[in-house]
Amino acid sequence: MSRAPIWHPFTQHGLGEPIPLITHAQGAILHTADGRRIIDAISSWWVTTHGHCHPRIAAAIAAQAGRLDQLIFAGWTHEPAERLGAELVALVDAELGAAGGLPHVFFSDSGSTCVEVALKMALGFWANRGAARHRIVVMEHSYHGDTIGAMSVGARGVFNAAYAQLLFDVATIPFPAAGAEQACLNALEQACATQNPAAFLVEPLVLGAGGMLMYPPAVLGEMRQICARHGVLFIADEVMTGWGRTGTMLACSQAGIVPDILCLAKGLTGGSLPLAVTLASGAVFDAHYGEDRARMFYHSSSYTANPVACAAALANLAVWREEPVAERIAALAAHQAEGLAMLGALPGIANPRQCGTIIALDVTSTDAGYLSALAPRLMAQFRDADVLLRPLGNTVYVMPPYGITPGDLARVHQVIAQAVS
Ligand SMILES: *Cc1c(COP(=O)(O)O)cnc(C)c1O
């Protein structure tokens, strides 16, 4: 048992599990210090979209780092942020047919912080209007990050039990599982009608950390309508689903909806540097606007809109514009469908499912004790086979960078088939 200086996230150091040392990466491949070639089948925790070390993004980072590395963003501004803000608003308009629906961009550093910002915007919206609305409605099995506010609006479990006393209360509606969609919608309608909520916060189409749970665009569309009818702000957390994962650049576009507040992070820089944005409607911005300093939006962090991260995001947008990203996503989705058909037919597999580039399946077991130890055992098997996969409980999923080769992807599917058999 080593007590090394580095304390890794979501890692029980007392188990002494190996922690591979990675020296460099290209595309979907990680190279270890001892010469192994690892296939990154989860995009380094859902962030790497095109592939590791995309030359265009790497070059943009290098150039910006030598020009302007950091700037206070309260009362000062710089070109990469100005350009990125304008491009993001135009992009979201085009993707969602939003026609100016989300004209304001607030920068932060991570998925958790852009969710915190969204919650504070929603609460500020009502507070500045003098309305006593502070309850947040969320969906069962949701995940929105690991800060205290983001944990409060996420599912409760072993991972936040120690902090439960500090988490604020929310109203929770059931997940719209197949056949139970109406119960979910009814619960949302009921919560909106009786609890006077400030906002409904939801992951569109796929609940990621909750187990890659998927629901249809029509349900998302109905949820948006219910919120609109009751004047409840609709916050879409596209931190994971954004940037092509569900087959379209934004999951919301598959339901034809425009949220009041939109959270984007992970793939915003192509997965190269930490950066996040919260986009807001004119009404949300206007509630904070005026000559009264007490109404301004009180949120900042040291690295808000860091110029180097903004330059990386601009390069990512250029990759989306100028490279055949949509074609790569379509090809990946088709190859994933083939792999899922093969895996779904194996004994001991339940609920094979796909949304765009993401496939997931549940490994069944009648022995709950075994089940609890399943994820780490599978993970170790995958690691020994030089594939980076990280099951969520008994759910195995594949979410690779779009540039993964068909051969490497087939290898990932094969390794899963071997491990579960
Ligand atoms: C990962 C994730 C977050 C948190 O993002 P971090 O960058 O890890 O803080 C929030 N919401 C969703 C839906 C996520 O998948």
Side-chain angles (χ1 to χ4, degrees):
M1 302 300 134
S2 93
R3 286 196 167 84
I6 292 181
W7 195 346
H8 285 265
F10 278 79
T11 300
Q12 177 45 274
H13 287 276
L15 293 172
E17 287 162 338
I19 299 180
L21 180 68
I22 303 299
T23 52
H24 56 293
Q26 196 64 53
I29 302 304
L30 308 172
H31 297 277
T32 68
D34 56 2
R36 286 157 63 204
R37 177 187 183 277
I38 313 285
I39 306 173
D40 183 355
I42 59 163
S43 300
S44 279
W45 242 351
W46 319 350
V47 299
T48 308
T49 46
H50 314 294
H52 287 277
C53 299
H54 190 290
R56 183 164 192 158
I57 297 174
I61 291 170
Q64 185 59 43
R67 195 179 300 130
L68 175 66
D69 53 352
Q70 162 67 3
L71 177 73
I72 176 174
F73 207 60
W76 298 79
T77 197
H78 52 81
E79 199 202 337
E82 292 293 329
R83 275 180 51 211
L84 180 58
E87 285 191 22
L88 282 171
V89 166
L91 176 81
V92 170
D93 257 13
E95 290 295 319
L96 299 183
L102 291 166
H104 303 284
V105 179
F106 193 94
F107 288 98
S108 61
D109 316 307
S110 70
S112 303
T113 53
C114 75
V115 168
E116 298 275 354
V117 165
L119 295 172
K120 286 174 70 173
M121 281 179 178
L123 296 178
F125 172 85
W126 293 112
N128 285 346
R129 290 174 159 219
R133 293 176 73 151
H134 11 74
R135 185 167 290 277
I136 308 294
V137 184
V138 301
M139 185 180 279
E140 179 192 20
H141 304 308
S142 292
Y143 178 79
H144 299 288
D146 275 349
T147 52
I148 294 286
M151 281 193 295
S152 295
V153 289
R156 309 295 161 95
V158 64
F159 33 86
N160 51 34
Y163 331 113
Q165 297 300 317
L166 248 73
L167 305 185
F168 57 77
D169 276 342
V170 293
T172 305
I173 63 166
F175 176 77
E181 294 90 348
Q182 197 56 47
C184 161
L185 296 172
N186 291 349
L188 179 59
E189 182 89 50
Q190 176 82 5
C192 288
T194 62
Q195 306 218 16
N196 204 25
F200 172 55
L201 166 65
V202 73
E203 295 166 81
L205 303 190
V206 186
L207 274 57
M212 296 298 154
L213 304 175
M214 301 172 185
Y215 64 92
V219 175
L220 183 62
E222 296 214 31
M223 294 191 298
R224 208 287 166 250
Q225 281 181 22
I226 291 169
C227 290
R229 268 207 304 283
H230 292 276
V232 173
L233 293 174
F234 188 98
I235 307 173
D237 177 356
E238 292 232 31
V239 168
M240 186 281 278
T241 55
W243 305 106
R245 292 292 176 200
T246 68
T248 48
M249 185 181 279
L250 297 174
C252 282
S253 67
Q254 294 185 39
I257 65 160
V258 183
D260 296 300
I261 301 175
L262 172 66
C263 302
L264 295 171
K266 291 187 172 133
L268 171 57
T269 59
S272 60
L273 283 175
L275 185 69
V277 288
T278 309
L279 278 81
S281 70
V284 170
F285 180 82
D286 287 349
H288 295 82
Y289 184 85
E291 292 180 353
D292 179 359
R293 288 182 189 275
R295 295 168 71 90
M296 73 169 91
F297 187 50
Y298 286 103
H299 191 94
S300 173
S301 61
S302 307
Y303 288 99
T304 301
N306 172 263
V308 182
C310 287
L314 281 168
N316 171 47
L317 292 185
V319 170
W320 273 89
R321 269 196 312 272
E322 292 163 29
E323 293 187 17
V325 179
E327 287 82 348
R328 280 179 208 148
I329 286 173
L332 172 57
H335 288 128
Q336 285 275 67
E338 288 166 23
L340 187 65
M342 180 272 288
L343 292 167
L346 297 175
I349 297 300
N351 305 322
R353 52 198 183 274
Q354 177 170 14
C355 184
T357 69
I358 307 166
I359 61 169
L361 48 86
D362 302 336
V363 181
T364 55
S365 167
T366 47
D367 176 3
Y370 173 74
L371 196 64
S372 62
L374 190 62
R377 283 180 47 172
L378 284 173
M379 205 158 32
Q381 265 180 282
F382 297 143
R383 194 177 49 226
D384 291 346
D386 290 347
V387 172
L388 169 50
L389 284 167
R390 201 180 157 97
L392 294 155
N394 66 325
T395 299
V396 177
Y397 69 92
V398 184
M399 192 194 296
Y402 309 147
I404 191 171
T405 65
D408 282 337
L409 185 61
R411 163 97 185 128
V412 172
H413 296 150
Q414 278 305 324
V415 165
I416 294 173
Q418 279 156 19
V420 300
S421 65

